[in-house]
Amino acid sequence: MATIQTAKEKIVAMLRTLENAETLAEVVEQDLKIGPLSAEYAAFPVAVITPPSLEASEVLDNRSNVRTYQFNVVVLLKPENFSSTVEVENLQETIINLFDNDPTLSGNAEAGMEPAFSRPYPLNYAGRDLVYFEIYLRVKIRKDLSFT
């Protein structure tokens, strides 16, 4: 049965395929002790998977619920590493297409996944100029109820 952890592991594995293809320089699971903007990264662009939030829990039937978890993938780029906005848009599309083409995360979101969405913007944080966008993944996982 799918769990929040197996869903996260699948998201990380899918992003690592882009790291292996050199589309992303680094994929990081966020440690709650430091925010994604405060951390130091070896290379850019970097994708940071934040801990999920529980967005909803709906009754599916009298024995199970469907929980919706939102995973945010924060993508940070250095402006000097790209020559046009089109390159940023293409990176967004590449990441979104990865998830849109596997709407159940290979069975780890058995109740499906809502389409991903994103919005990029420039950011200056602690003296660093960055381009920042998040990919929002709303993953639906069936949870069997035990009534114990």
Side-chain angles (χ1 to χ4, degrees):
M1 171 175 282
T3 66
I4 190 172
Q5 191 58 40
T6 61
K8 184 176 184 179
E9 289 168 0
K10 181 60 179 177
I11 291 167
V12 170
M14 291 172 74
L15 288 168
R16 291 220 188 276
T17 65
L18 297 178
E19 186 179 32
N20 294 339
E22 299 182 2
T23 302
L24 292 170
E26 193 172 355
V27 175
V28 176
E29 291 184 61
Q30 180 189 0
D31 181 345
L32 284 175
K33 297 174 189 167
I34 187 167
L37 295 177
S38 300
E40 293 295 324
Y41 302 106
F44 292 85
V46 61
V48 181
I49 301 88
T50 64
S53 59
L54 176 61
E55 299 291 314
S57 185
E58 302 172 40
V59 175
L60 181 63
D61 55 40
N62 66 349
R63 301 300 289 163
S64 55
N65 288 350
V66 172
R67 293 183 181 166
T68 302
Y69 295 96
Q70 182 168 306
F71 292 87
N72 294 357
V73 179
V74 176
V75 180
L76 301 169
L77 302 94
K78 286 189 172 180
E80 61 267 21
N81 291 351
F82 60 89
S83 59
S84 73
T85 302
V86 171
E87 289 179 52
V88 176
E89 293 165 351
N90 288 341
L91 179 57
Q92 275 183 288
E93 280 291 308
T94 299
I95 296 170
I96 289 170
N97 287 342
L98 188 70
F99 295 103
D100 283 351
N101 287 315
D102 189 355
T104 66
L105 297 176
S106 300
N108 290 291
E110 64 269 84
M113 185 169 62
E114 294 178 18
F117 61 97
S118 178
R119 180 187 76 174
Y121 49 92
L123 176 71
N124 182 291
Y125 184 81
R128 293 193 297 184
D129 286 324
L130 299 168
V131 172
Y132 172 102
F133 65 86
E134 285 186 81
I135 306 285
Y136 303 98
L137 303 170
R138 292 179 52 91
V139 175
K140 297 183 178 205
I141 298 174
R142 181 184 170 143
K143 176 68 177 167
D144 291 333
L145 304 174
S146 63
F147 301 108
T148 58

